[in-house]
Amino acid sequence: MATDTLKRDTGPGTDPGRGAAGRALVRRVLLDNGALSALVVLVAALSLLSGDFLTTQNLLNVGVQAAVTAILAFGVTFVIVSAGIDLSVGSVAALSATVLAWSATSEGLPVWLAVLLAVGTGTACGLVNGALISFGKLPPFIATLAMLSVGRGLALVISQGSPITLPDSVSALGDTLGGWLPVPVIVMVAMGVATAVLLARTYLGRSMYAIGGNEEAARLSGIRVKRQKLVIYALSGGFAAVAGIVLASRLASAQPQAAMGYELDAIAAVVIGGASLSGGVGKASGTLIGALILAVLRNGLNLLSVSAFWQQVVIGVVIALAVLLDTLRRRTA
Amino acid sequence: MSIPCTPGTSPGSPEPAKSPAPPGELLRMEGARKAFPGVVALDSVDFDLRAGEVHVLLGENGAGKSTLIKMLSGVHTPDAGRILVDGREVHIRTAQDAERFGIATIHQEFNLVPDLSVAENIFLGRQPRRCGMIDRKRMNAEAAELLARVGVDVPPQARVRDLGIARLQMVEIAKALSLDARVLIMDEPTAVLTTGEVEKLFGIVRRLREDGVGIVFITHHLEEIAALGDRVTVLRDGRSVTQVPADTDEDELVRLMVGRSIEQQYPRESPDTGPVLLKVSGLTRNGGFDDISFEVRAGEVVGLAGLVGAGRTEVVRALFGADPYDAGSVEVLGRKLPRHDVIAALEAGLGLVPEDRKGQGLVLDASVQENLGLVTLRKATRGGFVDRAGQRTAAERVAGQLGVRMAGIDQRIRTLSGGNQQKVVIGKWLLAESKVLILDEPTRGIDVGAKVEIYQLVNRLTESGHAVLMISSDLPEVLGMSDRVLVMSQGRITGELTRQEATQDAVMALAVKDVEGSRGH
């Protein structure tokens, strides 16, 4: 009798208890990351609205579509965490892709060398940005705005204004692995992991947070702020180059006009992911989610046959809402 | 709406019997209380002000003076208690409210727009207009009248940027008069002035008093109290201790203010001194400071006293490598430091706890642990990767040693009290094993209890062979904690005093000393 009551008491007591704890955990994870909950809601809604959305093929498509923005955005995350801004990543991506195509075709360099040269080009552009900011004392907005123009211009000069078709050996980079896993997705994941490790574990990453949080305090604590900034912008340039290569290999050609305006998508992804434009806050996972939200939205709106014009409107509203929600959440926390 | 200039009356309707205010009383505060996270700044404080008097507000830093005047100027609203103007209860929620009640405040930092003219600053937002356009002629004429009333010879068209600090203060006073202020609150107005300028300011204050203005005057210079004041309210640890006439003996005022003997407040124990750890020779920056030479030995606390603007912070920033200098040298443990190189300085064993804790000392949105590990981040890195576990253990250890009161090592530093934040700033240099610590205003904005903890920490540091160079504008603190006091005035060291020689008067005399051939006036 007594044991029975005990059993009956504990039985129904523990089960809902465990369920409630699980629900609380899910709720906390979602609340702690506003962008993640937005992504979950978005995916759920699109799955209901369109039967074509939740298929492996389409999800891989979304991954491919997100890849370029995400890789650009990972690089921009470094810059934004350290309280800077990089407007040049779209142009630098196009320039790097053009350098890749030009060196692999006109100059006949082997693919690996052409890729190296392209990444070197992007990194060099970033170094110039960093030097202008650290030593020329230009505001990051101005320095990278100048590079936005220079990069695009150089891409047009090298390509003489027309797309360069990539040799098959290079466009293979846009193919799939094992016949189903797209290489751009693999590159995106690899770059994301690298970003996460760099930000969380390395001296460079930790000093980015310190510089973004309080540059003067960081300087007075012995962090070489100028040198770090050079590296930060160089990283952003290098990531942009990788994004440019991924984009070109997908299109099987390097187009000097490609990736125009992508810098704004990249910044949007970083900000939707919870980073603060005033610096000191931001994560690789957040940036990835931000890029996925943009890609899922575009993909979903296409599936629902929403016109491209209205898509722009919706994306703008989503950016504003995401950041607004995040701000509200922080204020109440 | 115009403010009546005769105290005790209100415009229009005559006051019926309901007038509890004694004749001539402008302002009364009863049982005021204000708490901030982690500290009660003010508790059951009473204060009153009559027309035509100078009421001195006296207390140590952190005693609650600033909080009190911020309640009167609409920056803070009291958590409890009430404020009466002309015997009627009022709520001062904004600066506009304060203005409406005829209360003007002259803060230590002036609220002037540097690139506008004196007249435009005086009438900012209220410029006299004609047909929608600003009537410059009338504005300048009215400004000239106000400036004449203050007794300062500044043309109304002069740009504020071109004025010296004393004249800026006069412009602020003229601005207050233009608002028909009957209550004028002056927060340490003499702290930045030379002796001659102080005399001039006193003349102006006396004239305003004769005009029936009530003046709340904050000062740390005790001799000014008898010279200018009528009554003194002493605040201590956020409470009003007592009210005494202004001719009260200075020693008595100190006793009331500190509430305990200086020995208890400043628990300095001077250990034996060791070798010279920091040697500065002929350090000069053109237009900043000139020929600064001194030494600090192991086990020693050297105080660097002087008025705000004497160049103390500039000197320590330059010797730490944060800013460049033009001539001279800095040696730490016998090794000469390269110029303008923070990393060389901290690797040699220097540590700087800057004046602006939040702006320069801490990354406010980072955790306690991250802030503690900032200087050692580099040393804890192997092959680019930070030894996070090691950093964490070290931070835990130092936070424990310093008695940082926190929920945990991952708490955001922004949410800690000022005293605990300061412990973290000092802690990051302890982790870096700095031998020479430069403390620039280490107890500014910290409550009394936490101050004593900081002093005890300084004692422990010097006992263990560290050297401490301490800048402080708080005279009792400099006198109480220093083994030697260096005094700076106008960018030069004007004297060095031993612990025995160092009195308030001796330090002040050196601090206001005019340096021959120094920068122009």
Side-chain angles (χ1 to χ4, degrees):
Chain A
M1 181 70 178
T3 47
D4 262 356
T5 355
L6 214 73
K7 253 183 202 159
R8 217 176 295 142
D9 273 349
T10 50
T14 44
D15 269 342
R18 199 176 297 149
R23 275 200 298 278
L25 182 72
V26 170
R27 196 185 310 143
R28 208 174 57 236
V29 167
L30 290 183
L31 275 180
D32 279 356
N33 198 331
L36 183 60
S37 31
L39 182 60
V40 169
V41 169
L42 208 56
V43 167
L46 287 172
S47 309
L48 288 177
L49 289 171
S50 166
D52 300 327
F53 180 77
L54 208 59
T55 59
T56 315
Q57 191 49 49
N58 189 53
L59 290 185
L60 285 174
N61 251 338
V62 170
V64 172
Q65 284 165 359
V68 173
T69 311
I71 296 167
L72 284 175
F74 289 139
V76 173
T77 306
F78 301 129
V79 176
I80 288 182
V81 162
S82 58
I85 195 82
D86 192 345
L87 299 176
S88 68
V89 290
S91 295
V92 170
L95 174 61
S96 306
T98 308
V99 166
L100 170 76
W102 166 75
S103 57
T105 53
S106 319
E107 305 297 307
L109 292 185
V111 178
W112 67 269
L113 196 56
V115 167
L116 215 61
L117 193 64
V119 174
T121 304
T123 310
C125 290
L127 273 176
V128 171
N129 280 335
L132 286 173
I133 292 157
S134 278
F135 300 108
K137 303 232 181 332
L138 284 189
F141 191 96
I142 304 300
T144 59
L145 185 64
M147 184 56 75
L148 176 143
S149 184
V150 170
R152 184 67 62 189
L154 287 178
L156 287 163
V157 169
I158 294 172
S159 65
Q160 293 171 336
S162 43
I164 308 175
T165 311
L166 292 179
D168 288 346
S169 52
V170 180
S171 51
L173 294 174
D175 282 353
T176 54
L177 213 65
W180 64 278
L181 189 58
V183 174
V185 174
I186 300 173
V187 176
M188 171 175 78
V189 171
M191 298 299 267
V193 170
T195 304
V197 170
L198 207 153
L199 279 174
R201 301 282 173 123
T202 66
Y203 176 75
L204 181 60
R206 298 325 293 168
S207 59
M208 285 175 196
Y209 287 98
I211 291 171
N214 188 339
E215 188 171 327
E216 182 68 359
R219 184 172 82 93
L220 293 180
S221 299
I223 287 169
R224 291 181 162 87
V225 173
K226 288 186 176 173
R227 190 186 297 180
Q228 299 296 332
K229 279 191 179 172
L230 273 184
V231 181
I232 289 164
Y233 284 92
L235 269 176
S236 178
F239 274 55
V242 173
I245 296 168
V246 168
L247 181 64
S249 61
R250 252 181 62 206
L251 304 174
S253 76
Q255 303 175 0
Q257 302 284 13
M260 209 171 253
Y262 278 30
E263 56 278 347
L264 298 182
D265 269 7
I267 294 168
V270 176
V271 172
I272 291 173
S276 158
L277 280 182
S278 48
V281 186
K283 274 175 150 183
S285 58
T287 297
L288 177 64
I289 291 166
L292 286 176
I293 286 180
L294 290 177
V296 165
L297 254 184
R298 291 220 168 90
N299 174 273
L301 294 174
N302 273 334
L303 288 180
L304 298 174
S305 317
V306 175
S307 90
F309 303 158
W310 278 109
Q311 286 189 21
Q312 301 241 21
V313 175
V314 172
I315 285 169
V317 170
V318 166
I319 291 173
L321 273 182
V323 180
L324 198 65
L325 278 177
D326 205 44
T327 315
L328 284 176
R329 188 178 55 83
R330 263 173 233 204
R331 208 177 300 155
T332 51
Chain B
M1 177 187 155
S2 81
I3 307 290
C5 276
T6 8
T9 61
S10 60
S13 62
E15 276 287 285
K18 178 206 162 236
S19 177
E25 182 181 288
L26 292 175
L27 187 77
R28 171 175 287 278
M29 189 180 248
E30 288 172 355
R33 176 188 162 88
K34 182 77 195 173
F36 299 105
V39 57
V40 177
L42 216 57
D43 197 12
S44 35
V45 166
D46 300 322
F47 181 79
D48 69 283
L49 181 70
R50 298 179 199 132
E53 77 161 345
V54 175
H55 193 150
V56 177
L57 208 48
L58 188 65
E60 293 182 275
N61 287 345
K65 294 168 305 202
S66 302
T67 310
L68 192 155
I69 62 171
K70 280 178 178 166
M71 281 183 182
L72 294 177
S73 54
V75 179
H76 297 322
T77 47
D79 297 337
R82 51 187 206 145
I83 297 171
L84 298 94
V85 173
D86 296 332
R88 278 175 309 175
E89 185 167 353
V90 296
H91 296 282
I92 308 173
R93 291 194 188 85
T94 63
Q96 286 72 34
D97 285 347
E99 196 180 308
R100 205 152 44 84
F101 297 125
I103 301 170
T105 306
I106 298 180
H107 295 281
Q108 287 177 29
E109 276 130 39
F110 303 134
N111 291 315
L112 298 172
V113 186
D115 285 307
L116 293 183
S117 76
V118 168
E120 282 171 303
N121 266 288
I122 290 177
F123 291 107
L124 201 61
R126 306 170 289 120
Q127 295 96 330
R129 258 163 267 197
R130 202 173 52 186
C131 320
M133 308 290 277
I134 288 173
D135 186 348
R136 235 163 234 290
K137 221 164 134 190
R138 207 176 104 207
M139 182 173 75
N140 285 337
E142 285 178 17
E145 210 171 288
L146 287 163
L147 291 166
R149 196 173 148 208
V150 175
V152 56
D153 54 341
V154 178
Q157 297 88 348
R159 238 170 39 128
V160 159
R161 186 185 287 286
D162 303 329
L163 301 183
I165 201 144
R167 289 182 163 188
L168 291 181
Q169 199 172 54
M170 309 291 171
V171 172
E172 281 275 15
I173 296 174
K175 188 174 164 185
L177 293 182
S178 79
L179 293 163
D180 289 323
R182 297 174 302 144
V183 175
L184 186 59
I185 301 168
M186 306 178 87
D187 190 1
E188 292 197 49
T190 56
V192 291
L193 302 182
T194 63
T195 325
E197 291 165 345
V198 168
E199 272 313 311
K200 197 158 180 196
L201 176 72
F202 281 12
I204 294 166
V205 172
R206 290 192 187 103
R207 208 166 326 133
L208 293 175
R209 172 167 62 185
E210 278 159 31
D211 287 353
V213 177
I215 292 146
V216 181
F217 198 88
I218 295 183
T219 181
H220 279 303
H221 304 310
L222 296 176
E223 69 282 2
E224 292 173 6
I225 294 174
L228 187 68
D230 296 301
R231 286 189 294 163
V232 181
T233 287
V234 183
L235 290 181
R236 184 169 77 219
D237 301 349
R239 290 169 178 270
S240 44
V241 178
T242 186
Q243 202 185 78
V244 292
D247 54 9
T248 307
D249 181 59
E250 282 187 21
D251 291 340
E252 174 68 5
L253 287 176
V254 170
R255 198 190 60 74
L256 289 170
M257 192 163 76
V258 178
R260 70 206 109 177
S261 62
I262 293 283
E263 289 80 60
Q264 282 170 302
Q265 168 79 358
Y266 302 105
R268 177 75 192 140
E269 307 139 9
S270 307
D272 296 332
T273 56
V276 174
L277 294 187
L278 171 68
K279 184 174 155 90
V280 177
S281 323
L283 206 66
T284 300
R285 178 160 73 228
N286 302 331
F289 45 84
D290 198 14
D291 195 20
I292 305 293
S293 302
F294 62 88
E295 294 176 351
V296 187
R297 294 175 169 275
E300 208 181 18
V301 176
V302 173
L304 194 50
L307 301 179
V308 173
R312 296 168 300 166
T313 296
E314 288 79 355
V315 167
V316 299
R317 280 180 59 93
L319 75 87
F320 182 66
D323 294 326
Y325 51 83
D326 294 316
S329 69
V330 180
E331 281 172 41
V332 176
L333 293 116
R335 233 171 74 202
K336 192 167 177 295
L337 295 184
R339 200 182 71 104
H340 199 187
D341 186 344
V342 171
I343 291 151
L346 63 89
E347 276 171 358
L350 269 184
L352 172 69
V353 175
E355 167 184 40
D356 180 0
R357 181 170 58 240
K358 292 180 179 171
Q360 302 174 345
L362 294 167
V363 182
L364 283 175
D365 282 317
S367 67
V368 171
Q369 180 218 328
E370 285 168 307
N371 274 286
L372 279 171
L374 214 50
V375 184
T376 44
L377 192 60
R378 197 178 180 71
K379 251 196 266 172
T381 303
R382 292 277 172 279
F385 286 84
V386 177
D387 170 16
R388 295 198 301 175
Q391 281 279 82
R392 216 183 151 74
T393 321
E396 295 260 13
R397 178 171 51 81
V398 165
Q401 280 171 10
L402 295 176
V404 178
R405 276 181 288 279
M406 55 186 181
I409 201 104
D410 294 313
Q411 190 178 351
R412 277 208 313 169
I413 201 98
R414 186 189 288 279
T415 57
L416 295 186
S417 73
N420 284 305
Q421 289 181 348
Q422 191 68 295
K423 287 182 205 164
V424 171
V425 183
I426 298 175
K428 72 178 179 184
W429 295 111
L430 295 187
L431 265 174
E433 292 170 345
S434 304
K435 291 301 284 179
V436 183
L437 278 175
I438 303 166
L439 310 178
D440 193 351
E441 304 284 2
T443 64
R444 178 180 283 174
I446 289 178
D447 63 52
V448 183
K451 275 186 186 179
V452 177
E453 284 183 76
I454 301 273
Y455 300 145
Q456 282 160 348
L457 179 59
V458 168
N459 277 338
R460 292 217 304 273
L461 286 172
T462 51
E463 264 165 40
S464 59
H466 291 76
V468 172
L469 175 64
M470 182 178 80
I471 294 184
S472 174
S473 297
D474 184 351
L475 261 184
E477 175 176 290
V478 172
L479 301 180
M481 286 306 293
S482 308
D483 302 319
R484 268 189 301 140
V485 179
L486 302 167
V487 188
M488 278 187 72
S489 171
Q490 300 172 10
R492 281 169 176 271
I493 291 184
T494 47
E496 179 179 330
L497 302 165
T498 63
R499 189 173 175 80
Q500 286 71 36
E501 293 165 340
T503 59
Q504 296 228 3
D505 292 342
V507 171
M508 278 317 295
L510 290 170
V512 299
K513 194 166 159 185
D514 256 325
V515 179
E516 258 176 83
S518 72
R519 293 163 290 158
H521 299 278

